[in-house]
Amino acid sequence: MVNGAPVLFRVNPPDEFTELRGWWENRELSFRHSAGCDCWYALAGVDLNQKPGEYPLRLEGIAQNGVKASFAAQLSIGEKAYPTTKLSVPPQYVEPPKSVLARIQEEEAVKKRLFSSVTPETYWSGRFAPPVSTSVSAVFGSARTYNGLKKGQHQGLDFHAAVGTTVRATNRGVVILARNLYYEGNCVIVDHGQGFLTLYFHLSEIVVSEGDKVESGTVLGKSGNTGRVNGPHLHFAARWQGLYVDPETLLKLTLP
Ligand SMILES: [Zn+2]
Protein backbone atom coordinates (compact mmCIF):
# COMPACT_ATOMS: atom_id res chain seq x y z
CA MET A 1 0.00 0.00 0.00
CA VAL A 2 1.18 3.51 -0.87
CA ASN A 3 -0.20 7.05 -0.55
CA GLY A 4 -3.01 7.51 -3.10
CA ALA A 5 -3.70 3.80 -3.63
CA PRO A 6 -7.11 2.14 -3.69
CA VAL A 7 -7.11 -0.99 -1.50
CA LEU A 8 -9.17 -4.16 -1.37
CA PHE A 9 -9.42 -5.69 2.10
CA ARG A 10 -10.26 -9.40 1.85
CA VAL A 11 -10.89 -11.34 5.05
CA ASN A 12 -11.04 -15.13 5.42
CA PRO A 13 -12.28 -15.73 8.99
CA PRO A 14 -11.39 -19.07 10.66
CA ASP A 15 -15.12 -19.72 11.32
CA GLU A 16 -18.30 -18.87 9.42
CA PHE A 17 -19.21 -15.31 10.38
CA THR A 18 -22.68 -13.78 10.30
CA GLU A 19 -21.34 -10.25 10.56
CA LEU A 20 -18.02 -8.48 10.03
CA ARG A 21 -17.24 -4.85 10.78
CA GLY A 22 -13.95 -3.10 10.20
CA TRP A 23 -12.13 0.21 10.60
CA TRP A 24 -9.18 1.35 8.54
CA GLU A 25 -7.59 4.35 10.20
CA ASN A 26 -10.61 6.43 11.27
CA ARG A 27 -12.99 5.28 8.58
CA GLU A 28 -15.49 2.45 8.82
CA LEU A 29 -15.27 -0.25 6.15
CA SER A 30 -18.41 -1.76 4.58
CA PHE A 31 -17.71 -5.49 4.31
CA ARG A 32 -19.73 -7.80 2.10
CA HIS A 33 -19.63 -11.59 2.11
CA SER A 34 -19.00 -13.40 -1.16
CA ALA A 35 -19.99 -17.05 -1.46
CA GLY A 36 -17.69 -17.30 -4.50
CA CYS A 37 -14.47 -16.70 -2.55
CA ASP A 38 -16.03 -17.60 0.83
CA CYS A 39 -14.50 -14.34 2.04
CA TRP A 40 -15.55 -10.88 3.17
CA TYR A 41 -14.34 -7.91 1.16
CA ALA A 42 -14.39 -4.10 1.23
CA LEU A 43 -12.95 -1.48 -1.10
CA ALA A 44 -11.02 1.31 0.60
CA GLY A 45 -8.14 3.70 -0.03
CA VAL A 46 -5.14 5.59 1.25
CA ASP A 47 -4.95 9.40 1.19
CA LEU A 48 -2.70 10.86 -1.52
CA ASN A 49 -0.98 12.97 1.15
CA GLN A 50 -0.62 10.18 3.74
CA LYS A 51 2.86 10.06 5.30
CA PRO A 52 4.61 6.69 5.15
CA GLY A 53 4.27 4.69 8.37
CA GLU A 54 2.15 2.16 10.24
CA TYR A 55 -1.63 2.59 10.37
CA PRO A 56 -4.27 0.57 12.27
CA LEU A 57 -6.75 -1.92 10.82
CA ARG A 58 -9.37 -3.27 13.25
CA LEU A 59 -11.93 -6.03 12.64
CA GLU A 60 -14.82 -7.30 14.74
CA GLY A 61 -16.81 -10.35 13.72
CA ILE A 62 -19.61 -12.48 15.05
CA ALA A 63 -19.40 -16.23 14.37
CA GLN A 64 -22.46 -18.38 13.69
CA ASN A 65 -22.34 -19.75 17.25
CA GLY A 66 -22.61 -16.15 18.50
CA VAL A 67 -19.01 -15.91 19.67
CA LYS A 68 -17.39 -12.54 19.03
CA ALA A 69 -13.94 -12.36 17.49
CA SER A 70 -11.64 -9.41 16.92
CA PHE A 71 -8.41 -8.71 15.08
CA ALA A 72 -6.07 -5.72 14.99
CA ALA A 73 -2.93 -5.03 13.00
CA GLN A 74 -0.69 -2.16 12.04
CA LEU A 75 -0.38 -2.01 8.25
CA SER A 76 2.58 -0.44 6.54
CA ILE A 77 2.11 2.37 4.00
CA GLY A 78 5.03 3.08 1.71
CA GLU A 79 5.86 6.33 -0.06
CA LYS A 80 5.08 6.88 -3.73
CA ALA A 81 6.56 9.90 -5.51
CA TYR A 82 4.36 11.63 -8.09
CA PRO A 83 5.60 13.94 -10.90
CA THR A 84 5.24 17.75 -11.19
CA THR A 85 3.63 19.40 -14.23
CA LYS A 86 2.79 22.93 -15.49
CA LEU A 87 -0.46 23.64 -17.32
CA SER A 88 -2.04 26.54 -19.20
CA VAL A 89 -5.82 26.96 -18.96
CA PRO A 90 -8.13 29.91 -19.80
CA PRO A 91 -7.57 32.61 -17.09
CA GLN A 92 -11.18 32.51 -15.82
CA TYR A 93 -10.43 29.04 -14.38
CA VAL A 94 -7.46 30.28 -12.34
CA GLU A 95 -8.90 33.62 -11.20
CA PRO A 96 -12.67 33.18 -11.65
CA PRO A 97 -14.62 36.41 -12.31
CA LYS A 98 -16.79 37.73 -9.42
CA SER A 99 -19.94 36.89 -11.40
CA VAL A 100 -19.33 33.12 -10.99
CA LEU A 101 -18.18 33.04 -7.35
CA ALA A 102 -21.70 32.34 -6.02
CA ARG A 103 -22.09 29.51 -8.52
CA ILE A 104 -18.73 28.00 -7.50
CA GLN A 105 -19.73 28.19 -3.82
CA GLU A 106 -23.07 26.48 -4.48
CA GLU A 107 -21.32 23.72 -6.41
CA GLU A 108 -18.79 23.26 -3.60
CA ALA A 109 -21.73 22.67 -1.24
CA VAL A 110 -23.30 20.11 -3.61
CA LYS A 111 -19.99 18.24 -3.91
CA LYS A 112 -19.37 18.36 -0.16
CA ARG A 113 -22.80 16.81 0.46
CA LEU A 114 -22.32 14.05 -2.15
CA PHE A 115 -18.74 13.30 -1.08
CA SER A 116 -19.60 13.00 2.61
CA SER A 117 -22.45 10.50 2.22
CA VAL A 118 -21.46 6.82 2.28
CA THR A 119 -23.66 4.09 0.80
CA PRO A 120 -22.73 0.94 2.77
CA GLU A 121 -24.39 -1.44 0.24
CA THR A 122 -22.23 -2.92 -2.50
CA TYR A 123 -23.33 -2.11 -6.05
CA TRP A 124 -20.00 -2.79 -7.79
CA SER A 125 -19.15 -6.28 -8.96
CA GLY A 126 -15.91 -7.59 -10.45
CA ARG A 127 -13.19 -5.56 -12.11
CA PHE A 128 -13.45 -1.85 -12.88
CA ALA A 129 -13.27 -1.40 -16.67
CA PRO A 130 -11.61 1.61 -18.39
CA PRO A 131 -14.21 4.32 -19.21
CA VAL A 132 -12.75 4.81 -22.71
CA SER A 133 -10.56 2.57 -24.86
CA THR A 134 -7.91 5.26 -25.51
CA SER A 135 -4.48 5.76 -23.91
CA VAL A 136 -3.57 7.72 -20.78
CA SER A 137 -2.41 11.34 -21.25
CA ALA A 138 -1.77 12.39 -17.63
CA VAL A 139 -1.26 10.29 -14.52
CA PHE A 140 -2.85 10.68 -11.07
CA GLY A 141 -1.14 12.52 -8.22
CA SER A 142 1.10 15.00 -10.04
CA ALA A 143 1.66 18.40 -8.41
CA ARG A 144 0.32 20.98 -10.88
CA THR A 145 0.73 24.70 -11.43
CA TYR A 146 -1.98 26.41 -13.48
CA ASN A 147 -0.77 29.42 -15.53
CA GLY A 148 2.17 29.75 -13.14
CA LEU A 149 -0.22 30.87 -10.37
CA LYS A 150 -2.58 28.35 -8.83
CA LYS A 151 -1.20 25.15 -7.37
CA GLY A 152 -3.07 21.88 -7.16
CA GLN A 153 -2.77 18.14 -7.31
CA HIS A 154 -4.03 16.11 -10.25
CA GLN A 155 -6.65 13.98 -8.54
CA GLY A 156 -7.64 11.85 -11.51
CA LEU A 157 -6.39 10.01 -14.55
CA ASP A 158 -6.61 11.71 -17.96
CA PHE A 159 -7.30 9.79 -21.16
CA HIS A 160 -6.71 11.07 -24.70
CA ALA A 161 -10.23 11.55 -26.07
CA ALA A 162 -11.30 13.54 -29.12
CA VAL A 163 -14.58 15.41 -28.54
CA GLY A 164 -17.40 12.88 -29.00
CA THR A 165 -15.58 9.76 -27.74
CA THR A 166 -18.03 7.38 -25.99
CA VAL A 167 -17.59 7.36 -22.18
CA ARG A 168 -18.81 4.29 -20.27
CA ALA A 169 -19.48 3.49 -16.61
CA THR A 170 -16.52 1.64 -15.15
CA ASN A 171 -18.67 -0.63 -12.95
CA ARG A 172 -22.21 -1.11 -11.66
CA GLY A 173 -23.66 1.76 -9.63
CA VAL A 174 -26.12 4.63 -9.33
CA VAL A 175 -25.70 8.05 -11.00
CA ILE A 176 -25.70 10.60 -8.15
CA LEU A 177 -24.73 13.66 -10.21
CA ALA A 178 -25.20 14.43 -13.93
CA ARG A 179 -24.96 18.16 -14.63
CA ASN A 180 -22.74 21.06 -15.67
CA LEU A 181 -20.28 22.39 -13.05
CA TYR A 182 -17.91 25.37 -13.41
CA TYR A 183 -14.55 23.59 -13.10
CA GLU A 184 -15.57 20.03 -14.00
CA GLY A 185 -17.70 21.00 -17.02
CA ASN A 186 -20.37 18.45 -17.87
CA CYS A 187 -19.83 15.94 -15.09
CA VAL A 188 -21.17 12.52 -14.11
CA ILE A 189 -20.59 10.90 -10.70
CA VAL A 190 -21.44 7.21 -10.11
CA ASP A 191 -21.84 5.73 -6.61
CA HIS A 192 -20.60 2.11 -6.55
CA GLY A 193 -21.43 1.53 -2.88
CA GLN A 194 -19.07 0.84 0.04
CA GLY A 195 -18.27 4.59 -0.02
CA PHE A 196 -16.69 4.28 -3.48
CA LEU A 197 -17.43 6.79 -6.29
CA THR A 198 -16.13 7.32 -9.84
CA LEU A 199 -16.20 10.72 -11.59
CA TYR A 200 -16.16 11.66 -15.28
CA PHE A 201 -15.34 15.32 -16.16
CA HIS A 202 -15.32 17.69 -19.17
CA LEU A 203 -17.98 15.78 -21.17
CA SER A 204 -19.53 17.33 -24.31
CA GLU A 205 -22.76 15.43 -23.74
CA ILE A 206 -24.43 13.56 -20.84
CA VAL A 207 -26.98 10.82 -21.66
CA VAL A 208 -27.82 9.59 -18.12
CA SER A 209 -29.82 11.27 -15.35
CA GLU A 210 -29.37 11.51 -11.60
CA GLY A 211 -30.89 8.39 -10.02
CA ASP A 212 -30.22 6.12 -13.03
CA LYS A 213 -28.84 2.65 -12.31
CA VAL A 214 -25.89 1.76 -14.55
CA GLU A 215 -23.95 -1.41 -15.30
CA SER A 216 -20.28 -1.72 -16.23
CA GLY A 217 -20.15 -0.45 -19.83
CA THR A 218 -23.37 1.63 -19.75
CA VAL A 219 -22.84 4.76 -21.90
CA LEU A 220 -22.74 7.89 -19.69
CA GLY A 221 -22.08 10.40 -22.43
CA LYS A 222 -19.45 11.73 -24.82
CA SER A 223 -16.08 13.20 -23.94
CA GLY A 224 -15.40 16.87 -24.54
CA ASN A 225 -13.54 19.98 -23.41
CA THR A 226 -15.97 21.69 -21.01
CA GLY A 227 -14.78 23.27 -17.72
CA ARG A 228 -11.13 23.84 -16.70
CA VAL A 229 -9.21 22.15 -19.53
CA ASN A 230 -6.30 22.88 -21.83
CA GLY A 231 -7.82 20.70 -24.56
CA PRO A 232 -10.26 17.81 -25.10
CA HIS A 233 -9.72 14.78 -22.83
CA LEU A 234 -11.53 12.62 -20.29
CA HIS A 235 -10.66 13.22 -16.63
CA PHE A 236 -11.57 10.04 -14.73
CA ALA A 237 -11.36 10.01 -10.93
CA ALA A 238 -12.10 7.61 -8.07
CA ARG A 239 -12.98 8.48 -4.46
CA TRP A 240 -13.32 6.47 -1.29
CA GLN A 241 -14.91 8.22 1.74
CA GLY A 242 -13.55 11.67 0.96
CA LEU A 243 -10.19 10.58 -0.46
CA TYR A 244 -9.12 10.63 -4.09
CA VAL A 245 -7.34 7.39 -5.06
CA ASP A 246 -5.38 6.37 -8.14
CA PRO A 247 -7.77 5.14 -10.89
CA GLU A 248 -4.90 3.43 -12.73
CA THR A 249 -4.35 1.09 -9.77
CA LEU A 250 -8.12 0.58 -9.43
CA LEU A 251 -8.33 -0.61 -13.05
CA LYS A 252 -5.60 -3.18 -12.35
CA LEU A 253 -7.10 -4.63 -9.15
CA THR A 254 -8.47 -8.16 -9.37
CA LEU A 255 -11.82 -7.92 -7.56
CA PRO A 256 -14.48 -10.43 -6.48
ZN1 LIG B 1 -7.41 15.40 -15.28
Side-chain angles (χ1 to χ4, degrees), residues 144 154 158 233 235:
R144 281 183 162 179
H154 189 226
D158 289 350
H233 69 278
H235 174 100

Side-chain angles (χ1 to χ4, degrees), residues 87 137-140 144 146 153-159 201-202 228-229 233-237:
L87 272 187
S137 61
V139 296
F140 170 86
R144 281 183 162 179
Y146 294 96
Q153 271 176 316
H154 189 226
Q155 295 174 317
L157 179 68
D158 289 350
F159 288 91
F201 290 4
H202 314 312
R228 186 176 65 189
V229 293
H233 69 278
L234 173 70
H235 174 100
F236 171 57

